[in-house]
Amino acid sequence: MTEAGSALVTAAGSHPLPLRGRRVVVTAGGTREPIDPVRFLGNRSSGKMGNALAAACREAGAEVELITAASPPAAASGVAVTPVETAAEMQVAVWAALERADILLMAAAVADYRPREPADRKLKKTGGEMTMVLAPTVDILESIRAHPRRQSVLVVGFAAETDDLLGNAAEKLRRKGLDLIVLNDVGAPGVGMGADDNAVTVLDQGGVVLTVDRSPKLEVARRLVALVGERLARRARA
Ligand code: CTP
């Protein structure tokens, strides 16, 4: 943060632009893992939550890099967009972006598996059954534990769950060494992947720190950005 920015935060407690001078990396969308030149293994993530986070970070005064496997927002003014397709490409982009970031908001739905040997020509139908061997992808958040700048970055993960919501989210927070995790009940109607609304519960190592009832994704994003701003201000004071 710039000196001017940090002085404003300290003086005002909470500045109207809580991320002024901060650099935020947001990931969005579902990665696409190639099967052949025309097909991929994907998921239902639309990128809307990541796009909303990028917009809310801009509103809060941050410099934003959006690393996205989905369509970028139509009007992404002030947001630097880095398009990616696969988990491996997203990992490279995230590692590079963390060289100059204060915050990582990892909203992307990263594929856990990829076809082990994508075909270099379009696969032809044979009429019979077909078997595809999948290999695990890299876990980007887990890999970041080894990033030289890890301790200088506030790392926020997202947990898409359908059962044992709090238990699974808390386990991911610990396993991935996160500062915060945003739990998303993707089984609930009207929220989550592809929907225009979301409802989230946010946890840190001590337990639940914020719940946001069903609201448009931009509203949810604003609440999350406010929390992140508070956490950064708290760190700056510590
Ligand atoms: N994530 C990641 N790299 C992966 C998979 C997930 O960085 N290969 C990140 C997501 O971007 C998200 C968090 O980890 O911020 C949790 O993702 P989620 O899909 O909920 O969990 P997984 O670790 O994939 O575990 P599971 O699918 O078994 O629930």
Side-chain angles (χ1 to χ4, degrees):
M1 176 179 255
T2 60
E3 264 180 48
S6 92
L8 283 167
V9 168
T10 315
S14 68
H15 189 270
L17 292 177
L19 297 187
R20 186 169 155 142
R22 300 291 197 178
R23 285 160 303 198
V24 187
V25 177
V26 181
T27 68
T31 62
R32 297 175 169 199
E33 310 298 330
I35 295 171
D36 69 13
V38 298
R39 304 182 180 94
F40 59 83
L41 201 62
N43 61 64
R44 296 185 195 280
S45 170
S46 60
K48 286 179 190 166
M49 193 63 224
N51 289 352
L53 283 164
C57 288
R58 279 296 298 152
E59 279 178 9
E63 210 179 283
V64 182
E65 178 171 351
L66 177 65
I67 299 172
T68 183
S71 310
S77 104
V79 174
V81 177
T82 302
V84 293
E85 280 211 356
T86 63
E89 287 173 19
M90 185 171 278
Q91 185 195 27
V92 170
V94 168
W95 269 68
L98 288 191
E99 290 300 336
R100 50 187 187 282
D102 303 298
I103 304 164
L104 171 64
L105 304 177
M106 193 74 197
V110 185
D112 292 329
Y113 291 91
R114 61 178 174 81
R116 193 178 63 189
E117 281 157 20
D120 52 11
R121 294 177 186 202
K122 186 182 171 202
L123 294 173
K124 302 306 281 180
K125 64 171 169 271
T126 60
E129 288 183 348
M130 186 179 174
T131 303
M132 195 188 305
V133 179
L134 302 180
T137 58
V138 63
D139 191 302
I140 300 171
L141 278 179
E142 275 199 54
S143 79
I144 279 166
R145 300 181 82 131
H147 195 287
R149 291 200 64 253
R150 170 63 188 87
Q151 295 314 316
S152 311
V153 182
L154 188 92
V155 177
V156 183
F158 287 69
E161 306 294 346
T162 55
D163 53 82
D164 187 13
L165 309 180
L166 288 171
N168 279 325
E171 186 275 325
K172 274 179 198 169
L173 177 88
R174 275 191 299 276
R175 174 162 45 92
K176 303 193 188 217
L178 307 175
D179 296 300
L180 293 168
I181 193 155
V182 180
L183 164 63
N184 193 194
D185 179 356
V186 285
V191 296
M193 282 191 181
D196 290 326
D197 291 349
N198 207 351
V200 299
T201 304
V202 186
L203 291 84
D204 70 6
Q205 300 283 353
V208 173
V209 293
L210 175 71
T211 55
V212 184
D213 293 335
R214 181 174 171 176
S215 335
K217 283 184 171 171
L218 185 57
E219 278 311 311
V220 175
R222 287 177 174 140
R223 298 281 304 277
L224 294 175
V225 166
L227 174 67
V228 165
E230 279 167 33
R231 291 293 162 125
L232 279 185
R234 195 192 283 182
R235 273 192 179 189
R237 287 194 298 270

